[in-house]
Amino acid sequence: MRIVVAHNRYREAQPSGENTIVDSEIAQLTAAGVEVLPFIRSSDEIPSMSKAAKALLPISPIWAPRAQHDLSRLLTEHRPDVLHLHNPYPLISPWVVRTAHRHGVPVVQTVHNYRQVCSSGIYFRDGVICQDCKGRALGVPAIKHRCYRDSAVQSALMATTLAVHRGTWRSVDRYIALTSAIADHLRDYGIPDERIVVKPNSVPDPGRPVPLGDGFLYMARLSPEKGVDLLLDAWRRHPVGALGTLRIAGDGELRPLVEAAAAERSDVVYLGQLDRAGVQAAVEASAVVIVAAMWHDVLPTVIIEALASGRPVLGTALGGIPYLVGADAPHEPAGTGPAEIASAVAGGAGGSAMPAGIGLGEAGWVVAPEPAALAAALPVARAGASGLTLAARARYERIFHPDVVTKQLIDIYAGLARTPNHV
């Protein structure tokens, strides 16, 4: 099987989980015997472009003529079975879907964000969830609020791109939704069920989990939508030392807030930006991983890393988080909904029913994105962590292990290659 993987890499100066996932999938597919033809562009190329190429940049999200020329040549020469698209912006453009179809090649796209509708891609503005552009022919609110790169001009360009390519996106042969929440987003956009497959990402298997550490780990970009300020508000509602140690890893605009909290309280430790080995060490040192997202976070990779190491997760009930921890009842297999899980692992949660407002899943807990709710859940999670360790690892092995996810991806390709284009 021969697959073209198309992706516009985000700038290396801006750490990107999406870049990491694309690299990982290419490696896993290659190891499984799939011939992968990378069609990769990088936003780091932009500063070194010629003046002529830079002059075309404003239209590249809509068309990107050089990318279409190069892709046509690749498709003609190699005649792949499928094109798998990740991020098309700004140097590839959604137009690659049309180019692939013109060559008779079906297209799969993994949906990493909400950019079919939202110019910023995250449904979050000015500290709150925002869906003002949903259902509009043109995202005028995005232009008004300068949602893309804080520029009215660039926001207008992106809003226009989304309007122009509405038909393009609806012609994609198969969508990979990373969670059930993204599948719902695609249905709402008008994509029929038969074109949507839920397939999460994976992370490498770290091996047999080591015994639980103590306290909590928060690891994310330190920006408003990731909720570190929500977490610190909730943490301060408990006496110093009452919950063990709160370790915070990452970098971003809210770093001064985290550094101030670490200086203020002895039970808050700021770890800075970690490499892969540092991430694994921080996960192993903790008992529970916290994901305090304030937006509909698509698929926080840290949750899969936590489950792989047998660490349960306390998260906000937004985006893909309930799916990842198994608190997503309508989409879970029979016998694994919150009620059945609560009955099965009540001993691990302290032997009593969950307090109001705390949802118990197979591998963790979800709460409303509010300081009081998160504060109430912190001691529950600390007390119940040991009871969910085995379940967390089992969920990783069943759903998120690279062997499982890679087989699912190859099956998607194989099924699509046997059907006509434009299903």
Side-chain angles (χ1 to χ4, degrees):
M1 185 178 294
R2 182 176 295 161
I3 306 298
V4 172
V5 174
H7 177 58
N8 191 126
R9 296 183 68 84
Y10 296 88
R11 291 171 298 168
E12 292 301 327
Q14 174 186 337
S16 164
E18 193 171 329
N19 285 351
T20 301
I21 290 300
V22 171
D23 293 343
S24 178
E25 279 196 355
I26 289 174
Q28 290 162 12
L29 288 168
T30 301
V34 176
E35 182 182 353
V36 178
L37 304 172
F39 185 74
I40 307 295
R41 297 293 182 271
S42 173
S43 293
D44 286 331
E45 300 169 17
I46 293 174
S48 60
M49 285 181 171
S50 67
K51 289 183 179 180
K54 286 181 179 178
L56 293 174
L57 278 176
I59 68 165
S60 63
I62 296 175
W63 182 31
R66 176 62 184 271
Q68 308 320 309
H69 175 270
D70 292 347
L71 179 61
S72 288
R73 187 171 56 187
L74 184 149
L75 297 177
T76 299
E77 180 179 352
H78 295 282
R79 301 178 61 83
D81 297 294
V82 175
L83 182 142
H84 186 169
L85 175 63
H86 290 270
N87 173 47
Y89 301 114
L91 301 178
I92 292 178
S93 166
W95 205 282
V96 294
V97 176
R98 303 186 188 194
T99 300
H101 283 163
R102 183 162 52 84
H103 285 264
V105 177
V107 176
V108 172
Q109 194 202 7
T110 296
V111 180
H112 296 272
N113 52 47
Y114 303 98
R115 196 162 274 152
Q116 287 80 17
V117 176
C118 175
S119 291
S120 70
I122 63 174
Y123 277 152
F124 190 86
R125 175 175 60 80
D126 297 335
V128 296
I129 290 170
C130 170
Q131 296 183 335
D132 288 354
C133 292
K134 198 171 180 180
R136 293 175 178 264
L138 179 66
V140 174
I143 302 170
K144 176 182 176 182
H145 297 289
R146 306 160 64 98
C147 291
Y148 187 65
R149 298 185 176 176
D150 196 30
S151 164
V153 172
Q154 293 194 58
S155 296
L157 174 63
M158 182 54 69
T160 301
T161 299
L162 300 186
V164 167
H165 283 296
R166 188 171 289 109
T168 306
W169 290 132
R170 288 175 176 163
S171 75
V172 168
D173 300 277
R174 197 73 78 245
Y175 274 106
I176 293 176
L178 295 177
T179 69
S180 56
I182 286 292
D184 290 340
H185 159 72
L186 289 168
R187 291 186 193 100
D188 186 67
Y189 186 67
I191 307 301
D193 280 348
E194 60 268 21
R195 292 196 194 178
I196 303 170
V197 178
V198 176
K199 182 209 73 69
N201 295 330
S202 65
V203 299
D205 189 344
R208 186 180 181 86
V210 302
L212 286 183
D214 182 52
F216 297 82
L217 171 65
Y218 170 94
M219 185 165 55
R221 185 170 60 252
L222 303 182
S223 55
E225 75 276 9
K226 294 292 188 177
V228 68
D229 48 347
L230 164 67
L231 171 58
L232 291 174
D233 189 340
W235 192 261
R236 290 189 180 100
R237 299 183 185 214
H238 295 276
V240 174
L243 298 171
T245 300
L246 171 61
R247 301 169 182 85
I248 298 177
D251 203 353
E253 62 191 278
L254 296 184
R255 176 174 176 171
L257 189 71
V258 175
E259 291 175 331
E264 170 194 342
R265 293 180 58 123
S266 60
D267 59 353
V268 177
V269 175
Y270 177 50
L271 302 176
Q273 191 74 41
L274 301 177
D275 58 15
R276 181 170 291 279
V279 167
Q280 187 60 32
V283 170
E284 292 179 353
S286 305
V288 178
V289 170
I290 297 178
V291 179
M294 296 290 289
W295 69 295
H296 291 292
D297 205 340
V298 174
L299 190 147
T301 303
V302 65
I303 294 182
I304 305 178
E305 291 170 331
L307 302 185
S309 294
R311 269 56 179 172
V313 174
L314 170 58
T316 50
L318 293 172
I321 297 170
Y323 166 87
L324 292 171
V325 303
D328 186 13
H331 302 276
E332 286 298 298
T336 59
E340 295 124 319
I341 295 166
S343 174
V345 300
S352 59
M354 284 290 98
I358 303 175
L360 175 62
E362 181 183 0
W365 308 262
V366 292
V367 297
E370 301 167 355
L374 184 55
L378 287 167
V380 172
R382 190 185 190 209
S386 61
L388 293 185
T389 298
L390 294 179
R393 173 66 188 185
R395 185 167 178 81
Y396 165 75
E397 292 177 349
R398 188 176 75 250
I399 301 175
F400 305 109
H401 192 280
D403 292 346
V404 174
V405 174
T406 302
K407 180 182 184 303
Q408 189 178 4
L409 183 55
I410 292 173
D411 287 346
I412 292 168
Y413 295 153
L416 196 58
R418 289 195 297 268
T419 62
N421 292 344
H422 317 297
V423 175

